[in-house]
DNA sequence: TTGCTCATGTAAACTGTTACATGATTGC
DNA sequence: GCAATCATGTAACAGTTTACATGAGCAA
């Protein structure tokens, strides 16, 4: 269980409201951990009552007030304890792999458009990552290295890029295999 | 939701009991879809009452009887309908990426052993996949191609291999980044 | 006799998804 | 006037995880 930890990391990078966190989970953090606003509000409430975060009501002109959360001492401790604690093997959930394996009992060709759709989604995401990498980490001089926070954000982004490239290559392999089966019939 | 579909695929490959399915979810299918025996028993019961699977009581000598499930017509239909139906974007859950990004607010060096542990797990899994690939798909003659089921199992396995190789390379990148931050202090 | 494998389950707690609800402001 | 954005929630349901429970056989 790590939604609270993902929220702590995000709040350490910048304090914000539940709504703002939900936005961030559609971008940046959301690329390696998904959550909806309902989940976030629920967890924020629990973390507040556990003393992991502080809240501050921020009045805004012409807009509803927002409750801005920031990480408190116990939250920081909980995060650094979690960093050290071994995390179990990730649970994999790959619909498409199940579908590909299931295709042999149905019509393999029927899967082609679905695989192409996924390929498109991964291509879009890759382009998005590459643009972000160029924007945020493009102009680095070797004699003036970035700080730790930046370096670590960059290595996570490189992971996202490697993942998307791997997926696109694999989906091409799947498409070639499906086409081969089709041609053979 | 696709646990029922993963179970259908597994039962089409070979009928079996809930217990046997739970074993398979620790290997083969489990590499791209995880499930515990509790989930499996619950879903099997629902699928049985929906007529997706047939059950047969198999007495065994010296062992408890087992209830062997096999896919029925409606189950096969449900599977092929799902194969055609677009599946939403996969929800990513990567603990380690959250940890790496969180490390800048704690001690980056404290994360090194955790990353090394994950690297070891991925190396083991890669070796296991490669052994399986050599065993099941090693001796192929180009003039006698395998059947569809085999080809599709093979392409899924290639995906697993590509994933593990990508992860190991990324974890090396993470380790180099963490070491670089450590050396700089 | 201790622990492992085979075999099937229940119960409770937690997490995730979908739908609904409110209310102000900004831009077309 | 209509839709989108900002901002915070509730409610119901579905799915997942963890712990507990039973009981037989088999091997060190």
């Amino acid at each position: 269980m790590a939604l609270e930890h993902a929220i702590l990391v995000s709040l350490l990078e910048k304090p914000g409201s539940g709504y703002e966190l939900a936005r961030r989970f559609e971008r940046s953090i959301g690329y390696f951990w998904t959550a909806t606003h309902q989940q976030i509000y629920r967890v924020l409430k629990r973390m507040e009552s556990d003393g992991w975060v502080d809240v501050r009501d921020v009045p805004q002109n012409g807009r509803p007030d927002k409750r801005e959360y920031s990480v408190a001492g116990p939250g920081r401790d909980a995060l650094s304890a979690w960093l050290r604690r071994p995390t179990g093997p990730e649970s994999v959930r790959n619909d498409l792999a199940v579908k590909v394996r299931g295709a042999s009992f149905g019509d393999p060709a029927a899967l082609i458009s679905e695989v192409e759709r996924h390929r498109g989604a991964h291509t879009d995401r890759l382009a998005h990552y590459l643009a972000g990498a160029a924007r945020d980490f493009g102009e680095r001089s070797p004699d003036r290295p970035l700080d730790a926070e930046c370096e670590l954000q960059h290595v996570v982004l490189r992971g996202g890029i490697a993942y998307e490239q791997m997926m696109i290559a694999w989906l091409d392999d799947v498409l070639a295999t499906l086409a081969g089966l089709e041609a053979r019939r």
Side-chain angles (χ1 to χ4, degrees), chain A residues 36 42 71 73 77 86 91 109 113 158:
Chain A
T36 62
R42 204 206 274 150
V71 180
D77 295 343
S91 64
S113 65
R158 288 200 297 273

Side-chain angles (χ1 to χ4, degrees), chain A residues 1-11 21-22 25 29-30 32-44 46-47 52-53 79 82:
Chain A
M1 208 266 324
L3 176 53
E4 36 248 87
H5 303 111
I7 289 175
L8 287 172
V9 171
S10 190
L11 289 179
L21 283 168
F25 273 88
I29 324 278
F32 42 88
W33 204 274
T34 53
T36 62
H37 78 272
Q38 292 88 342
Q39 288 175 66
I40 291 165
Y41 282 120
R42 204 206 274 150
V43 172
L44 278 175
R46 188 176 60 213
M47 289 203 291
W52 286 21
V53 291
L79 182 65
W82 177 70

Side-chain angles (χ1 to χ4, degrees), chain A residues 140-162:
Chain A
R140 308 174 64 186
S141 55
D143 42 300
R144 268 280 302 271
L146 298 160
D147 64 6
E149 194 177 332
C150 247
E151 286 286 4
L152 292 171
Q153 280 183 12
H154 193 189
V155 79
V156 169
L157 185 55
R158 288 200 297 273
I161 290 168

Side-chain angles (χ1 to χ4, degrees), chain A residues 80-129:
Chain A
S80 73
W82 177 70
L83 289 181
R84 263 159 253 262
R85 197 160 54 238
T87 308
E90 336 128 53
S91 64
V92 185
R93 246 111 247 223
N94 192 343
D95 286 74
L96 216 46
V98 178
K99 284 191 176 189
V100 171
R101 246 173 106 142
S104 53
F105 305 102
D107 178 10
L111 200 64
I112 290 175
S113 65
E114 174 69 347
V115 176
E116 282 169 344
R117 211 175 52 79
H118 278 254
R119 192 192 184 282
H122 286 285
T123 307
D124 291 350
R125 186 168 280 190
L126 176 61
H128 190 197
Y129 284 178

